[in-house]
Structures are given as C-alpha cells and as structure tokens.
Amino acid sequence: MSERLVVIGGDAAGMSAASQARRLKGPEELEIVAFERGHFSSYSACGIPYWVGGDVAEREELIARAPEEHRARDIDLRMRTEAVEVDVPGQRVRSRDLESGTEAWTGFDKLVIATGARPLRPRMPGIDAPGVHGVQTLDDGQALLDSLEGTEGRRAVVVGAGYIGVEMAEALLNRGYEVTVLNRSEQPMTTLDPDMGRLVHRAMDGLGIRTVGSAAVTKILTGEDGRVRAVATDDAEYPADVVVLGMGVEPETTLAEAAGLPLGVHGGLLTDLAMRVRGHENIWAGGDCVEVLDLVSGRERHIALGTHANKHGQVIGSNVGGGYATFPGVVGTAVSKVCDLELARTGLREKEAREVGLRYVAVTVESTSRAGYYPGAAPMTVKMLAERGTGRLLGVQIVGREGAAKRVDIAAVALTARMTVEQMTALDLGYAPPFSPVWDPVLVAARKAVSAVRSAG
C-alpha cells in the first residue's frame, strides 16, 4: 500500500524535497501532492532584482522547472491552491482553490512545510497604496514591472538598505529611475558592521543612489488618484512614483503556528538535523520558514537564502524517500552587489560576537583584487574577527569591486573547519597577477589578525 506525501509550497525547498523523494520512490510506493498558491513553481527568487533591472531578459529564465515538468514526473502539483489549515492529529491539510474558492481536505502520511518567507510590511498609512511593492515572489516581480511600465514619473524610493534594498536600488537605477534609499539605521547593510556599511554608503552615493540614514519611514503619502506620491519620515518627505519595500523578510509560519508546531525566537519552525519538525515524526520543514543552527555562535538563526532552501529540500526528500541525510547548519555566508560594488560577509559581526559572550579582536586591511601593477586592480577592504586566546576565526566582511565578493568563500570554508587565523595564513590559494596579489587580501587580514591575537594575549 502506497503512502502519501503532501508538500506545502512549490518553490525551492518544497519541490526539491518532492523531486528527491520521487527519485528514491516510484508512484506505486509514494503518492506526492504539492500545493502552491502562486502562478509559478521552482523559480529563483534571488534573480528577481536582475530581471526587474533588465540583466535577465525574460521571466521564464528564472524558472528552473515548470509545473508541467513536475507533473510529468508523477508529482501532483496543484497551482493557485493555498493550504489554509493543517490538522496535525488528523494528518490532513485543508486547501483552497484560489480561482474557484472551493476547499478540500487531503490526508497525508508524511508532510513537508515549505511556506517560505514574507516581506516585512509595517502597518502604516498608505502602505497598501497602488505603486507600493514588496518583492518576494515572481508574482511580486511581475506586479512591480507592470507598475514601472504604467507610471510616467521616474522617481523611486526604496525603503530599507539590506540585500533586497540595495539590489532593487540598482535595478531601478538601471531602469532610468532617480533612486532614493531610506534606511532606519545610520548605515546601509546592517548585516555588516557600521564601519563597513559606511563604505557601502559612500559608494552608493558615488553611483548616483541617494542614501539617507537614520530615516524611519512613518507613512506613505498618496495623491488624489490614491496612488503613492511620496514617502514621509519624521522630518522630511521624499517624492515617489514607485516605492519598493526592502526591509527584509520574516518566516511565513502562520499555518505552522496555528497547527501548534514549535517555533523559535525568530518565528521560524524548529527542526532536527534531518529537517524533521521537532516532536513530530512525520512532518518535515525547510527553506525560508525554518530556523537553522549557526555553527559559529551555536545559536538558532533565520537566514532566507535559496542555497539553504535547496539543500534542505534534498535532505528532506532523502529522508522521506527512505534514505538518511542531515543539514548540520550554516556559518552565515552571503554576497550581494550594487552596480560594480561587491559586498560579502560570513560568520559573526562584532555585535553578534558580543551578544554570545565571545571575546575577540577585529582587524581591517586595505588591499587590491589583483597585483597592484596589473591593469584593472581594484581596491578591496577586508575586516576579520578572531577569538582572543584561541585565535579561532569568527567572521569576515568584504567590500570592494570586481573579484571581491567570492573571496568570502575562503573564510566560509575556514569557519566551517573551525580554523584559527594562524592556520589560515598557510592556506595554499591560487595566485597569478591577474587574479590576486602575492598575498591574497583574506590572508593579509589573517596575518594581521594573528598579530592582534598575540598582542591581546
């Protein structure tokens, strides 16, 4: 007798889990039903800013696998169908067809929750006015593009200067808009320390993006037609023909919370190493709706990234399909860019290190992406944190031009391996003048960190 797997969410984690489970078990052993409330499945949400900005020409280029392709593999993917209730004791899910409004219960033997994240959308006057957009799904991206094409003005305000905010600022700049970024914090990119964020601020201004710090938005102002006309803070108004909300995301766990499933301090579902929801043998969760273990701090974190979501799906699908796999945790690696400025971080910031009670040293070095004499060498700033006493690497942040961001992968591997900064100085990295100075900037920072650790005793 076959079992039934029900998957809630048709993007990265959910469909990766369904696909991996199908590889391990055929339809005669495992029936798979998936619910997706949107119009698209298995797409790259990370690519939306580059589609909006014109770097990616067609929306379909962001879709890895269309619903028809999943169905051809005996996965019953039901689009425009929203799961509205999970009955854990009864092992069933209530869903609603968003086109017809009809509802139905579907029983499950195994359940995967992959409901993703939702954009932070504070309650304030005008937040739902036409011309105000969050950007989380392909549907959101299409709505923004339609709005850009339907307005005559060329003034855009981005609220928030995190990853989404700076990427959307670039996209709008590429579209020919005059862009203003309003940020509650003094410096953009609060995933970096303020001294590194200051470099980003200076560079964004130099690129023609007006960046206003310490600017908490209080309301969205509208015109007589009801459409957005400006964004207001406590002490100023910023004219806007379109507004993009880039204040980050939070786990979409409304269903899970109503079902009584365990949530962490950040509102994400809590799972074990096998991505099984804690305390529930037949329920798994993955992607942006879960919290994961930070291998550096030892605490749970919420990090919304497609890389993690796909890995979670692979782990879940393997376990649902009768195999065994685990997801050990993350070190918090992320990269982004705004025009030709590259940003990267991994591990802990100074604030995070203090919060978990770690004593540390912090060093910053200025270097170049290539040998200084080689054409095209660009400046790069690397900041490194190391634990006092042990010298264990705690975190790295990088701001620079071409060739800067992906250098953070060196530090990500070193963090995962729990290397000391002294051990890092002996790493055998590739060298040639077109790619790096003799001493790679990350290793220059490691050498300086070694000296700081020794000086600190």
Side-chain angles (χ1 to χ4, degrees):
M1 184 176 177
S2 68
E3 293 183 310
R4 177 185 289 154
L5 166 66
V6 169
V7 178
I8 303 176
D11 197 11
M15 298 319 294
S16 291
S19 297
Q20 177 66 3
R22 175 56 74 231
R23 292 186 190 101
L24 297 176
K25 285 191 173 182
E28 68 284 349
E29 295 180 277
L30 183 67
E31 177 189 358
I32 303 177
V33 177
F35 300 122
E36 168 55 46
R37 65 185 177 185
H39 292 88
F40 309 97
S41 67
S42 299
Y43 59 86
S44 171
C46 301
I48 293 174
Y50 309 107
W51 166 42
V52 171
D55 296 312
V56 177
E58 300 294 336
R59 179 183 66 198
E60 282 64 33
E61 295 180 50
L62 300 181
I63 300 173
R65 187 167 290 169
E68 295 77 16
E69 296 176 84
H70 287 297
R71 292 170 188 144
R73 303 181 70 240
D74 293 304
I75 297 173
D76 181 6
L77 175 54
R78 304 176 188 179
M79 303 299 295
R80 299 292 292 152
T81 304
E82 182 177 16
V84 294
E85 183 181 354
V86 176
D87 176 7
V88 174
Q91 293 195 194
R92 58 180 187 162
V93 173
R94 182 164 59 91
S95 63
R96 178 182 299 129
D97 186 310
L98 296 178
E99 304 296 341
S100 67
T102 59
E103 295 188 355
W105 285 99
T106 303
F108 64 82
D109 298 290
K110 298 176 179 179
L111 175 66
V112 173
I113 300 175
T115 44
R118 57 178 176 264
L120 291 172
R121 199 177 187 97
R123 294 181 179 179
M124 66 175 66
I127 194 70
D128 295 319
V132 180
H133 298 271
V135 184
Q136 181 69 13
T137 66
L138 278 190
D139 293 284
D140 295 335
Q142 188 61 63
L144 174 58
L145 279 175
D146 293 342
S147 184
L148 295 177
E149 293 171 1
T151 181
E152 296 180 0
R154 311 301 291 176
R155 299 167 302 181
V157 171
V158 178
V159 182
Y163 293 109
I164 296 172
V166 299
E167 289 169 358
M168 290 310 304
E170 176 185 0
L172 293 164
L173 194 69
N174 290 345
R175 286 271 172 183
Y177 276 74
E178 176 187 314
V179 181
T180 299
V181 177
L182 303 179
N183 191 40
R184 179 184 293 271
S185 300
E186 183 178 355
Q187 303 299 340
M189 296 301 296
T190 55
T191 53
L192 305 176
D193 284 322
D195 53 339
M196 298 296 280
R198 194 172 299 114
L199 301 177
V200 179
H201 192 158
R202 189 181 308 140
M204 288 175 67
D205 286 345
L207 293 166
I209 298 171
R210 182 187 183 190
T211 308
V212 184
S214 303
V217 173
T218 57
K219 57 184 173 180
I220 308 294
L221 304 177
T222 57
E224 293 181 359
D225 58 356
R227 187 177 174 85
V228 61
R229 67 170 180 84
V231 177
T233 64
D234 287 328
D235 52 10
E237 290 183 11
Y238 300 87
D241 302 296
V242 66
V243 174
V244 175
L245 304 178
M247 296 175 285
V249 298
E250 59 187 357
E252 177 49 270
T253 50
T254 306
L255 268 180
E257 183 177 19
L261 298 176
L263 305 182
V265 294
H266 306 288
L269 276 158
L270 296 176
T271 68
D272 61 18
L273 288 176
M275 303 307 297
R276 182 181 280 105
V277 173
R278 295 180 190 175
H280 296 271
E281 188 67 23
N282 61 339
I283 303 177
W284 288 260
D288 295 352
C289 65
V290 305
E291 296 185 15
V292 294
L293 175 65
D294 185 313
L295 298 174
V296 185
S297 70
R299 294 186 176 182
E300 304 290 338
R301 295 181 62 181
H302 176 247
I303 302 179
L305 281 176
T307 49
H308 301 160
N310 279 284
K311 291 172 186 173
H312 295 169
Q314 288 291 307
V315 169
I316 293 168
S318 295
N319 292 324
V320 168
Y324 180 71
T326 61
F327 183 80
V330 302
V331 293
T333 308
V335 296
S336 186
K337 79 178 190 74
V338 52
C339 298
D340 66 341
L341 181 70
E342 298 185 3
L343 324 168
R345 58 79 47 93
T346 190
L348 306 181
R349 297 172 297 157
E350 290 194 55
K351 177 182 177 181
E352 293 160 338
R354 290 192 296 268
E355 286 175 350
V356 296
L358 290 169
R359 298 168 66 246
Y360 65 90
V361 297
V363 300
T364 302
V365 300
E366 306 288 339
S367 186
T368 55
S369 57
R370 303 172 179 176
Y373 57 81
Y374 194 88
M380 183 186 311
T381 303
V382 180
K383 181 174 183 177
M384 183 172 288
L385 272 64
E387 188 175 26
R388 292 183 63 172
T390 68
R392 176 171 67 105
L393 178 68
L394 296 179
V396 170
Q397 300 163 45
I398 303 175
V399 176
R401 257 64 187 190
E402 180 186 2
K406 287 296 284 180
R407 274 184 163 88
V408 80
D409 290 342
I410 303 167
V413 173
L415 281 167
T416 304
R418 297 183 64 83
M419 294 178 69
T420 66
V421 287
E422 187 163 8
Q423 288 171 329
M424 288 182 67
T425 63
L427 287 174
D428 184 11
L429 304 183
Y431 161 70
F435 304 107
S436 170
V438 171
W439 279 91
D440 188 273
V442 173
L443 298 192
V444 174
R447 290 177 66 183
K448 189 172 181 179
V450 170
S451 297
V453 170
R454 290 173 177 169
S455 297

